[in-house]
């Protein structure tokens, strides 16, 4: 009786599982570099934002002084105002044009295969090359854009040398560069829509616009949300095009937060103040992304 009880109690005890150390080693190949090169710099940046530091010597703690200065800095306000203008131009343009190009290619019209390559090609080119190409195309006297506009009777437009047009000129180059990713995402989503649903709507008498509005567009809702979110983040982080094409000028009319942060940190060695402005930009990106995702989820 006693032996039976001991055997039953021993059988009910949970077995000890041996931990496989190889799993931790494999995870460490990703976790350790991610912590060292992503998490740790962010934490160090948060600390630096509360200090005055020019990379020489030790950081001097100043509390919220950098943030107070940032809220009073007119150039910070100018940079954030510009990035909102960039967003109102670039994000809707990339989303709408990407969808239109995807609809064209998805229909299988003649030369759609060539169009697929041409629409996506700018995405694989570096931002520096894109900027240099568009500096030449938007040149006031010798650019191709003004050359063809002259045939229509328009005067030369100072795309990159005027406070009125510089932001538009940079936006044009950004739209051309960012369009390929949106095009590919929309094309993949269109090809994933079952053809039977569209055929059923056509049999029921739905016209082309009705099929697009009531059949195709609802299926594209998640992709639209993703494209707008990705493009919004990319626009808020715009830098390379600004640096190459206008260097933020003239008179900071085309500057962006990242460009201003670059000038603070690299040119003026104000690393503490640059870190504070960087965290303000991070907070703005996070807030706008959360709100935008909620609105699209509810209304698209």
């Amino acid at each position: 009786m006693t032996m039976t009880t001991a055997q039953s109690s021993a059988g009910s005890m949970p077995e000890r599982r041996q931990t496989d150390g190889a799993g931790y080693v494999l995870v460490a190949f990703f976790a350790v570099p991610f912590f060292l090169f992503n998490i740790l710099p962010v934490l160090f940046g948060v600390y630096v934002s509360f200090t005055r530091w020019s990379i020489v010597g030790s950081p001097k703690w100043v509390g919220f002084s950098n943030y107070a200065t940032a809220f009073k800095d007119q150039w910070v306000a100018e940079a954030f105002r510009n990035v909102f203008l960039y967003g109102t131009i670039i994000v809707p343009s990339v989303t709408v044009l990407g969808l239109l190009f995807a609809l064209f290619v998805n229909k299988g019209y003649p030369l759609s295969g060539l169009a697929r390559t041409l629409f996506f090609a700018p995405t694989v080119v570096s931002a520096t090359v894109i900027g240099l190409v568009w500096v030449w195309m938007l040149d006031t006297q010798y650019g191709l854009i003004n050359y063809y506009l002259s045939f229509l009777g328009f005067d030369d437009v100072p795309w990159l040398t005027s406070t009125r047009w510089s932001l538009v000129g940079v936006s044009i180059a950004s739209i051309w560069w960012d369009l390929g990713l949106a095009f590919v995402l929309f094309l993949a989503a269109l090809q994933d829509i079952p053809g039977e649903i569209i055929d059923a709507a056509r049999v029921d008498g739905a016209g082309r616009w009705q099929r697009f509005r009531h059949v195709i567009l609802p299926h594209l809702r998640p992709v639209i949300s993703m494209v707008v979110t990705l493009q919004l983040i990319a626009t808020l982080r715009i830098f390379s095009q600004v640096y190459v094409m206008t260097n933020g000028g003239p008179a900071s009319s085309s500057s962006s937060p990242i460009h201003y942060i670059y000038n603070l940190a690299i040119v003026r060695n104000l690393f503490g103040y640059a870190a504070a402005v960087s965290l303000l930009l991070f907070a703005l990106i996070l807030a706008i992304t959360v709100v935008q995702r909620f609105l699209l989820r509810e209304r698209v």
Side-chain angles (χ1 to χ4, degrees):
M1 182 68 177
T2 304
M3 184 179 297
T4 304
T5 304
Q7 291 177 349
S8 61
S9 60
S12 61
M13 293 177 60
E15 296 181 359
R16 294 184 178 179
R17 296 182 179 179
Q18 294 182 352
T19 303
D20 189 358
Y24 290 102
V25 173
L26 294 175
V27 172
F29 277 109
F30 169 79
V32 174
F34 181 80
F35 176 79
L36 291 177
F37 298 106
N38 291 84
I39 304 299
L40 195 60
V42 171
L43 298 178
F44 181 69
V46 174
Y47 164 72
V48 170
S49 69
F50 293 98
T51 67
R52 182 179 293 112
W53 188 41
S54 61
I55 209 172
V56 177
S58 302
K60 180 181 178 181
W61 185 265
V62 294
F64 288 94
S65 176
N66 289 327
Y67 293 94
T69 303
F71 281 110
K72 298 177 183 178
D73 191 343
Q74 62 173 344
W75 301 114
V76 172
E78 180 75 10
F80 278 93
R81 183 188 72 86
N82 289 341
V83 85
F84 276 112
L85 295 177
Y86 278 124
T88 58
I89 298 173
I90 298 175
V91 176
S93 300
V94 169
T95 304
V96 173
L97 291 177
L99 178 57
L100 291 177
F101 291 168
L103 289 170
F104 171 80
V105 173
N106 190 57
K107 286 292 185 180
Y109 292 124
L111 300 179
S112 60
L114 177 62
R116 184 198 305 262
T117 302
L118 295 178
F119 293 154
F120 183 73
T123 305
V124 301
V125 181
S126 69
T128 302
V129 175
I130 295 294
L132 293 174
V133 169
W134 279 97
V135 165
W136 172 66
M137 293 184 64
L138 296 175
D139 185 85
T140 304
Q141 296 181 344
Y142 307 105
L144 286 179
I145 304 299
N146 282 338
Y147 176 77
Y148 289 112
L149 287 177
S150 65
F151 285 103
L152 301 177
F154 293 98
D155 296 331
D156 290 340
V157 179
W159 295 104
L160 303 177
T161 57
S162 168
T163 56
R164 179 181 179 184
W165 290 100
S166 59
L167 192 143
V168 177
V170 175
S171 297
I172 292 173
S174 300
I175 292 170
W176 189 68
W177 187 45
D178 295 335
L179 192 59
L181 178 60
F183 159 72
V184 169
L185 293 175
F186 280 126
L187 181 61
L190 287 172
Q191 293 177 347
D192 195 46
I193 299 176
E196 296 80 3
I197 299 178
I198 300 177
D199 293 337
R202 185 182 293 107
V203 171
D204 290 339
R208 181 175 300 179
W209 169 249
Q210 291 176 324
R211 293 196 301 271
F212 174 77
R213 179 181 179 183
H214 299 290
V215 179
I216 297 176
L217 199 58
H219 283 83
L220 297 179
R221 174 178 163 183
V223 181
I224 293 175
S225 178
M226 181 173 64
V227 168
V228 173
T229 301
L230 294 176
Q231 192 56 51
L232 183 62
I233 295 173
T235 302
L236 292 173
R237 296 170 54 245
I238 188 172
F239 169 72
S240 299
Q241 302 92 306
V242 175
Y243 180 77
V244 173
M245 298 179 69
T246 64
N247 199 24
S252 295
S253 59
S254 62
S255 181
S256 67
I258 297 293
H259 183 265
Y260 186 58
I261 292 167
Y262 166 82
N263 284 327
L264 289 174
I266 306 302
V267 179
R268 301 169 58 184
N269 291 330
L270 300 176
F271 284 88
Y273 188 34
V277 178
S278 299
L279 288 177
L280 291 178
L281 177 61
F282 168 76
L284 176 65
I285 292 175
L286 180 62
I288 291 180
T289 303
V290 171
V291 172
Q292 176 264 331
R293 292 280 293 178
F294 173 78
L295 292 177
L296 281 182
R297 186 180 296 112
E298 296 296 326
R299 298 182 181 182
V300 173

